[in-house]
């Protein structure tokens, strides 16, 4: 994954986990560490918007654009190290925590194939349009121990 995508994805995942109220201390600490270096060193303002609305596409895009507009971030070893630490902390989360977060797909428009598999916590959505195939499979709902085939 390229640095821009990795940093953006880590910030979105971290802010979502913290906002959900079920993040472990490891996730909270590593998210705070990444955010602190971005705010203190690079004066990223969009992280505040992301924390208020972590699932907002506009907030996510604002963070991505602000990082993209500051190319030094993409080469900063401290940022990349903290990004990896947050990714690792997220991977270590208990399945119950991951299940509580679930997956939100507010808007989905497919003109071709979209395949989503092995999703924990259910899938939520509002505006979905498909002109082609959309397949969502092997979803484990919150509190469920079985998987859909």
């Amino acid at each position: 994954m390229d640095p821009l995508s990795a940093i953006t994805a880590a910030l979105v995942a971290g802010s979502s986990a913290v906002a959900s109220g079920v993040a472990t201390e490891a996730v909270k600490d590593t998210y705070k560490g990444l955010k602190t270096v971005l705010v203190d060193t690079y004066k990223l303002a969009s992280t505040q918007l992301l924390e208020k609305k972590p699932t907002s596409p506009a907030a996510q895009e604002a963070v991505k654009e602000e990082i993209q507009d500051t190319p030094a971030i993409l080469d900063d070893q401290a940022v990349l190290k903290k990004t990896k630490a947050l990714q690792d902390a997220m991977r270590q989360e208990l399945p119950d925590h991951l299940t509580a977060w679930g997956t939100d797909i507010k808007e989905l428009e497919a003109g071709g194939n979209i395949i989503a598999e092995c999703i924990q916590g259910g899938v939520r959505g509002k505006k979905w349009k498909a002109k082609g195939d959309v397949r969502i499979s092997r979803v484990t709902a919150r509190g469920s121990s079985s998987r859909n085939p």
Side-chain angles (χ1 to χ4, degrees), residues 11-12 14-16 18-20 28 31-32 35-36 39 45-55 59-60 63:
L11 283 170
V12 169
S15 64
S16 296
V18 171
S20 73
K28 289 177 188 176
Y31 170 71
K32 182 180 178 183
K35 188 183 82 162
T36 297
V39 171
S46 56
T47 57
Q48 289 180 329
L49 178 61
L50 186 64
E51 284 188 340
K52 289 180 183 176
K53 296 183 177 184
T55 61
Q60 294 172 8
V63 167

Side-chain angles (χ1 to χ4, degrees), residues 27-105:
V27 169
K28 289 177 188 176
D29 291 346
T30 55
Y31 170 71
K32 182 180 178 183
L34 175 58
K35 188 183 82 162
T36 297
V37 76
L38 290 170
V39 171
D40 290 354
T41 306
Y42 297 101
K43 309 302 183 217
L44 251 68
S46 56
T47 57
Q48 289 180 329
L49 178 61
L50 186 64
E51 284 188 340
K52 289 180 183 176
K53 296 183 177 184
T55 61
S56 164
Q60 294 172 8
E61 188 61 30
V63 167
K64 182 178 179 181
E65 284 182 21
E66 194 171 9
I67 292 169
Q68 199 167 22
D69 290 346
T70 312
I73 293 172
L74 303 176
D75 295 321
D76 186 321
Q77 292 304 306
V79 171
L80 298 175
K81 183 178 178 182
K82 290 184 182 298
T83 297
K84 183 174 181 337
L86 178 54
Q87 291 169 335
D88 291 345
M90 295 289 290
R91 284 187 195 102
Q92 296 300 314
E93 283 295 320
L94 296 173
D96 289 346
H97 290 121
L98 296 174
T99 299
W101 298 337
T103 302
D104 286 312
I105 305 173

Side-chain angles (χ1 to χ4, degrees), residues 106-135:
K106 294 200 183 214
E107 294 186 31
L108 174 67
E109 189 166 333
N113 297 326
I114 293 179
I115 300 168
E117 296 180 326
C118 300
I119 300 172
Q120 293 187 11
V123 178
R124 295 169 295 277
K126 291 186 180 181
K127 297 178 184 177
W128 294 14
K129 296 178 188 176
K131 294 179 183 174
D133 297 333
V134 175
R135 183 179 78 206

